[in-house]
Amino acid sequence: MDDSAGSALGDFEERSPHMSNIPVVAEYTKCKVGPDEALYLVRKGLLISRCPEFFGLGLEGEFSEAQTNILILPEEDPGVFELFIHWIHQDAIPPLVALDESNTMEDCALAKEATYYGLYYLAEKWSIKALKNRVMDCIRAYHADTDARIHPSLIDLCFQRTLAGSLLRHYVVEAVAFVIKSPKGYEYLEQLHEQITSIDFLFDLLEKLSRLIDMGSFDNPNLRADCDFHEETQGGQCCAVTNYFQGDKRLKGHFHKLFVIDKDLEDD
């Protein structure tokens, strides 16, 4: 294998320009992600075992992907796919971390949170309940730690990309309702009124507020039991465990550690 290809496997940030000539062997699958086809080399067995309903059909069935070991995923976001690769190797994802409150940092924080929402949409589309639960824990932990409000753009995106009954929708409505009833709720309500376009969200929010007013209870959804926002996994069990890295245990972006380069690849 040439040096540029080896460098690409060693450094997660160097993808398509350096990986295009990497040979495909049975144990690995080339994943071309996004409109620019960012290229990732991932162990085939991991993809199938972690997401059998999607990758099992594609890589073990009669489709051409099973013969070529190449998957083309033009609709997926590379940043979201990197978090997915993180999860299939570690069974966990890094936490959302609060950033400084300058305008630039606020935009960065919003973009990062949107990536985690994107990971939830991907898990929902690929029917990965365990991953949805882990993403939900990360989002709730972030809001519990920062008291950050859910941005209107994320609310609209959530209701565009999820179906009725989605637990992410349920969480978003509960979190917004809780903030609205806080002392600074009027300011947030004005922001929602000016920016929200989703009629489904507004109906769900009004229904939730009416129900909570009748109950006289507005508890913080970020501090409730994890299982309240978890999907049941196999066997009807909730995976209410620590689902995100904390403090010094975070991988801090070193995704290259997740790739194990097979000796056969190195010898090519």
Side-chain angles (χ1 to χ4, degrees):
M1 179 184 293
D2 60 68
D3 291 340
S4 63
S7 172
L9 282 172
D11 187 349
F12 197 86
E13 294 304 318
E14 296 178 358
R15 296 186 292 267
S16 301
H18 307 282
M19 295 179 69
S20 57
N21 295 321
I22 293 177
V24 176
V25 294
E27 190 178 4
Y28 290 86
T29 296
K30 276 186 176 181
C31 299
K32 298 181 178 181
V33 183
D36 295 327
E37 296 193 342
L39 189 56
Y40 301 88
L41 192 66
V42 189
R43 287 188 179 276
K44 178 178 178 179
L46 271 177
L47 291 171
I48 294 172
S49 64
R50 302 297 266 161
C51 185
E53 292 190 26
F54 183 79
F55 290 107
L57 289 174
L59 296 174
E60 291 187 319
E62 298 180 356
F63 298 104
S64 61
E65 290 84 353
Q67 306 302 319
T68 63
N69 264 339
I70 297 174
L71 282 175
I72 300 176
L73 305 169
E75 297 180 357
E76 309 308 335
D77 178 84
V80 171
F81 194 74
E82 289 178 10
L83 283 177
F84 169 72
I85 294 175
H86 191 153
W87 174 76
I88 66 173
H89 284 83
Q90 300 293 322
D91 197 30
I93 50 179
L96 271 162
V97 180
L99 302 175
D100 296 335
E101 295 185 356
S102 66
N103 289 334
T104 302
M105 289 295 102
E106 184 177 343
D107 291 342
C108 290
L110 177 59
K112 186 172 183 180
E113 188 174 3
T115 301
Y116 280 68
Y117 275 65
L119 184 59
Y120 192 95
Y121 309 143
L122 182 145
E124 196 158 74
K125 181 167 64 174
W126 291 351
S127 301
I128 316 176
K129 292 181 179 180
L131 178 55
K132 284 197 284 186
N133 293 346
R134 279 155 171 73
V135 177
M136 181 68 75
D137 289 345
C138 283
I139 292 173
R140 291 177 62 224
Y142 169 73
H143 286 281
D145 291 342
T146 64
D147 289 327
R149 304 166 182 174
I150 301 177
H151 194 275
S153 65
L154 291 179
I155 296 172
D156 273 338
L157 194 59
C158 172
F159 276 75
Q160 289 169 12
R161 300 192 62 182
T162 60
L163 299 175
S166 166
L167 284 175
L168 184 59
R169 283 192 181 194
H170 176 54
Y171 166 72
V172 165
V173 170
E174 293 252 359
V176 171
F178 178 74
V179 174
I180 286 175
K181 289 298 293 181
S182 70
K184 296 183 178 180
Y186 183 75
E187 176 188 340
Y188 187 40
L189 191 60
E190 281 193 324
Q191 183 186 16
L192 296 176
H193 175 71
E194 292 172 357
Q195 299 182 35
I196 286 292
T197 62
S198 172
I199 300 299
D200 288 339
F201 164 73
L202 295 176
F203 275 118
D204 285 359
L205 180 61
L206 288 173
E207 182 181 355
K208 173 58 67 175
L209 287 170
S210 298
R211 190 158 60 245
L212 291 175
I213 289 171
D214 290 340
M215 294 171 56
S217 173
F218 281 81
D219 61 329
N220 188 342
N222 298 312
L223 303 180
R224 286 184 10 210
D226 288 342
C227 281
D228 286 358
F229 298 97
H230 278 181
E231 296 227 10
E232 289 184 350
T233 54
Q234 197 168 26
Q237 297 297 314
C238 168
C239 60
V241 297
T242 301
N243 292 324
Y244 53 91
F245 291 106
Q246 301 181 33
D248 295 336
K249 294 183 179 180
R250 291 199 302 115
L251 294 186
K252 298 180 180 179
H254 297 306
F255 288 100
H256 62 277
K257 293 181 180 179
L258 303 180
F259 290 90
V260 180
I261 304 175
D262 192 90
K263 189 176 186 301
D264 292 336
L265 284 177
E266 292 180 302
D267 292 339
D268 283 335

